[in-house]
């Protein structure tokens, strides 16, 4: 994200049309999200995802000695629900932090920014030539990638809402809670695998 601004800072005064207030705000926001604080938080979040994910998996397969039967008892069920809720919250945080970058690039590749900047191959958010590999991906493919990425964020937000509504182990494992929570998880998985398939497919 820094590459969008830093190498061409001296060209801002020559941009036509000049850099807008919205673009200045966007750059400031992306700098903050790409700063050391959020990079550190990102590492912490990844660590927590690994730890909580492992904890969730062990509870899922019944690898615990808290109670019997191993896959349906208390306090196992309470901790299982906690692990799920915490994991969903971590993914929601990641979706919130990544959404500005995804929306910014979507506005650019679809050519709906104001003022308009060239979105051709190799052109960054200001329509300047850069070597960043992202801006050299074919335009249509970038559009599809961003649509999938934004859809992934949106489905994650809905998933978080369902986990708030159906907040307990009992609510999320009985109808309609199990339909909403598992349905949203299935939608997220479909979007993620679709994006991976599209990104790795030939251009």
């Amino acid at each position: 994200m820094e590459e969008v601004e830093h190498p061409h800072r001296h060209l801002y005064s020559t941009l036509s049309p000049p850099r807008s207030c919205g673009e200045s705000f966007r750059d400031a926001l992306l700098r903050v999200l790409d700063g050391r604080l959020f990079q550190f938080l990102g590492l912490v979040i990844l660590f927590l995802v690994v730890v909580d994910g492992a904890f969730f998996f062990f509870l899922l397969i019944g690898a615990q000695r808290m109670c019997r039967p191993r896959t349906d008892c208390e306090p196992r069920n309470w901790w299982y629900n906690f692990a799920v809720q915490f994991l969903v919250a971590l993914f929601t945080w990641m979706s919130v932090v990544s959404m500005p970058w995804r929306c910014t690039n979507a506005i650019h590749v679809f050519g709906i920014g104001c003022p308009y900047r060239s979105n051709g191959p190799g052109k960054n958010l200001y329509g300047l030539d850069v070597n960043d590999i992202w801006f050299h991906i074919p335009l249509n493919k970038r559009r599809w990638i961003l649509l999938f990425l934004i859809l992934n964020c949106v489905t994650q937000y809905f998933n978080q809402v369902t986990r708030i509504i159906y907040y307990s182990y009992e609510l999320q494992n009985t109808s309609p809670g199990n339909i909403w929570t598992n349905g949203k998880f299935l939608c997220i998985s479909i979007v993620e695998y679709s994006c991976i398939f599209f990104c790795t497919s030939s251009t």
Side-chain angles (χ1 to χ4, degrees), residues 165-186:
I165 296 174
Y166 305 102
Y167 57 88
S168 68
Y169 179 84
E170 292 75 18
L171 288 174
Q172 71 174 354
N173 283 280
T174 55
S175 182
N178 56 353
I179 298 176
W180 280 103
T181 55
N182 295 328
K184 292 302 179 183
F185 179 77
L186 179 61

Side-chain angles (χ1 to χ4, degrees), residues 37-159:
L37 174 60
F38 278 88
Q39 289 180 356
F40 173 75
L41 289 176
L43 294 175
V44 173
I45 294 297
L46 289 177
F47 174 77
L48 292 175
V49 167
V50 172
V51 173
D52 188 54
F55 182 55
F56 161 76
F57 176 75
F58 288 135
L59 292 178
L60 178 66
I61 64 175
Q64 54 87 19
R65 297 182 178 180
M66 292 181 285
C67 57
R68 297 290 189 280
R70 292 182 181 272
T71 57
D72 187 13
C73 60
E74 291 295 344
R76 176 266 179 192
N77 291 349
W78 188 92
W79 283 108
Y80 176 86
N81 181 62
F82 174 83
V84 172
Q85 294 282 13
F86 191 52
L87 203 57
V88 170
L90 293 175
F91 287 138
T92 299
W93 167 263
M94 296 166 66
S95 296
V96 170
V97 171
S98 63
M99 188 59 121
W101 182 90
R102 297 176 183 188
C103 288
T104 291
N105 279 274
I107 291 172
H108 177 240
V109 299
F110 283 99
I112 56 177
C114 184
Y116 171 80
R117 305 291 184 185
S118 175
N119 56 9
K123 302 290 186 180
N124 70 357
L125 301 180
Y126 283 105
L128 303 173
D129 292 313
V130 293
N131 294 322
D132 192 325
I133 190 172
W134 164 254
F135 296 106
H136 288 269
I137 297 175
L139 186 60
N140 284 335
K141 191 163 189 176
R142 273 187 286 161
R143 288 172 175 169
W144 279 106
I145 290 172
L146 287 166
L147 282 176
F148 281 124
L149 291 176
I150 292 175
L151 185 59
N152 173 256
C153 287
V154 172
T155 52
Q156 178 58 38
Y157 300 153
F158 278 112
N159 186 35

